[in-house]
Amino acid sequence: MVRSWWQNKPVPGRWLAVILIGGAFLLTDASSYVGGLTDAYLRPPVGAEAQALGNTNITSPAYMMSMINPAASSELSMGSGRISFGGGMRALGRADGNLSMDFRVLSRLGLGVAILYRGDPSITIMDAQEEKVGEAAYTTVTSKVSLSYPISRHLAVGAGLGMYYQNVPASDDPYGFSEEDGPVEYSYAFSIGGIDLGLRYQWRKDITFAAVVQNLLARNDWQFKRYDLGDLQQTSSSAYPVALMLASTVQRELQGRPFIWHASLKSYLLNELSFEGYDRLQRVSALLSNGFEWRYWDNITLRAALSDIPLDTDIFTDFQTYSDNFSAGLGFGAAIDLVKVHPGLSVDYALSLNKILAGVEQQINIVYSFQSTKRSLR
């Protein structure tokens, strides 16, 4: 029976199934789940849809496509597009803001642009005596531009280019009131050149696969302004860990209504990749996430997720340690179609508990979809 099922599948589908199934074992033997890395601020979900689904909307993101999967914009029909903007509040007083534009600009070319603000707008600076000396902010701005190309009706590929900016206070006296409080008063990091690669394969009408590689050759060059020098000096350069994501989407029905199951496996394979070589991460782990969508009403889609389930070798070698350190995220949300207000208008809302249970996080996005009156060439 299994052999018959296998033989009836298209050849590309067979090989993709091998890659995804084998990838689950490969990732748990070659990746890392560590905190405090250069790209840590980018790891939480981008946008309300991704947050409600636990970062599993990789095969067909509705917006922020350049951030999530650069191959996704080719799914749009000729002359159509989506514009989204939104933001939210995260745990510990952090804030988000995002904007995306995705279009099918030619018969076989999709274009996406996404901008993400993420940071802490209010940081209290204390001196050595724990007295307040000023206020500062941690700011990051990340933007990505992507192009996607449908090789066939089933397979699409895409590539994106990133821009990364961070600004963080580097002294307990950021305004330079007292040189005794620290040698540094200002720091920032900026780079252009991180590359993302994406693939989207529609195996059957109701089953879709995706694979994404992020942060190739991405890095930040930190600049510090010192009191004694009076100008900006580069003192360090840090690479973004290379991330690999495998994902699938299965569409079915529940009580006669559309029901969608998303699953993703995320791994950090390399600590650094450069033209000189690579630095492989030593901590063995991967993250498994599952998200669900149920369109119970015609204009409302309910969402839920169980995300960031760690998979590592401790499961087999030290299960007690694995169980003691186990954590996972929970996500909930809804997408509301506002067609009665304006055709193509919708709103997404998400609420989640992050995996360290540091607090409740919320995001909201307003999405506008438009369709050309011209006949689709797809």
Side-chain angles (χ1 to χ4, degrees):
M1 182 176 178
V2 173
R3 183 178 180 182
S4 175
W5 173 86
W6 177 260
Q7 291 175 338
N8 288 334
K9 299 305 173 188
V11 173
R14 297 186 213 168
W15 284 110
L16 190 57
V18 170
I19 293 172
L20 290 172
I21 296 171
F25 295 96
L26 173 65
L27 294 180
T28 56
D29 188 51
S31 61
S32 171
Y33 176 57
V34 293
L37 296 176
T38 308
D39 73 329
Y41 70 98
L42 289 175
R43 298 191 182 191
V46 176
E49 180 191 41
Q51 183 171 339
L53 293 174
N55 256 342
T56 61
N57 61 329
I58 299 170
T59 61
S60 303
Y63 46 90
M64 299 300 291
M65 297 178 184
S66 296
M67 290 280 181
I68 299 172
N69 185 349
S73 58
S74 61
E75 182 188 7
L76 300 170
S77 58
M78 177 58 185
S80 67
R82 292 174 191 164
I83 300 174
S84 167
F85 67 92
M89 294 301 298
R90 295 195 175 276
L92 307 177
R94 295 168 294 170
D96 269 23
N98 60 73
L99 171 68
S100 72
M101 295 172 285
D102 300 285
F103 309 94
R104 185 71 173 267
V105 292
L106 296 173
S107 61
R108 298 185 66 82
L109 190 66
L111 171 65
V113 179
I115 302 174
L116 171 68
Y117 157 78
R118 184 165 279 173
D120 191 334
S122 179
I123 299 176
T124 300
I125 306 299
M126 312 292 287
D127 61 16
Q129 288 72 44
E130 297 188 359
E131 296 182 359
K132 179 179 177 180
V133 296
E135 295 285 343
Y138 169 56
T139 301
T140 74
V141 177
T142 306
S143 65
K144 294 189 177 183
V145 179
S146 66
L147 292 174
S148 63
Y149 182 80
I151 296 176
S152 68
R153 287 183 176 272
H154 299 282
L155 179 64
V157 296
L161 181 68
M163 181 281 290
Y164 310 87
Y165 171 82
Q166 294 187 67
N167 177 3
V168 61
S171 168
D172 54 8
D173 182 13
Y175 301 106
F177 298 138
S178 171
E179 189 170 339
E180 298 177 356
D181 286 325
V184 175
E185 61 174 320
Y186 179 75
S187 68
Y188 78 91
F190 175 77
S191 68
I192 297 177
I195 299 172
D196 295 346
L197 301 176
L199 177 149
R200 183 181 185 275
Y201 181 75
Q202 188 167 352
W203 189 9
R204 297 186 340 202
K205 184 178 180 180
D206 57 349
I207 300 178
T208 306
F209 297 113
V212 177
V213 179
Q214 294 179 325
N215 304 334
L216 292 170
L217 306 177
R219 62 188 313 108
N220 271 353
D221 296 326
W222 281 94
Q223 308 282 338
F224 294 86
K225 183 174 182 180
R226 299 176 58 90
Y227 288 98
D228 52 348
L229 298 178
D231 58 358
L232 290 169
Q233 299 291 324
Q234 178 179 324
T235 60
S236 68
S237 181
S238 53
Y240 284 57
V242 178
L244 172 62
M245 295 178 289
L246 303 176
S248 65
T249 294
V250 179
Q251 301 184 45
R252 290 289 186 268
E253 287 190 352
L254 179 62
Q255 294 186 355
R257 309 296 294 178
F259 182 80
I260 303 174
W261 170 34
H262 305 273
S264 70
L265 190 68
K266 186 172 185 177
S267 168
Y268 292 88
L269 297 178
L270 304 172
N271 187 44
E272 181 176 358
L273 176 66
S274 66
F275 293 108
E276 288 76 27
Y278 65 91
D279 178 16
R280 182 173 180 268
L281 288 171
Q282 299 302 314
R283 177 71 173 121
V284 177
S285 182
L287 297 176
L288 174 67
S289 300
N290 289 276
F292 306 92
E293 294 185 277
W294 189 26
R295 189 154 191 161
Y296 186 73
W297 298 278
D298 290 339
N299 62 335
I300 298 178
T301 300
L302 302 177
R303 293 170 174 158
L306 178 62
S307 62
D308 295 339
I309 301 170
L311 301 177
D312 58 43
T313 53
D314 285 344
I315 297 176
F316 308 104
T317 60
D318 190 354
F319 186 76
Q320 184 62 49
T321 299
Y322 174 81
S323 60
D324 290 343
N325 296 328
F326 180 86
S327 63
L330 295 174
F332 307 93
I336 304 175
D337 192 341
L338 302 177
V339 64
K340 294 183 178 180
V341 177
H342 192 285
L345 190 64
S346 63
V347 59
D348 282 3
Y349 172 77
L351 179 150
S352 69
L353 295 171
N354 60 34
K355 64 178 301 172
I356 60 173
L357 302 180
V360 176
E361 303 186 344
Q362 302 181 70
Q363 286 199 70
I364 188 169
N365 274 87
I366 307 297
V367 185
Y368 175 64
S369 302
F370 60 89
Q371 175 67 53
S372 171
T373 57
K374 297 181 180 180
R375 182 175 62 89
S376 174
L377 299 178
R378 189 179 180 184

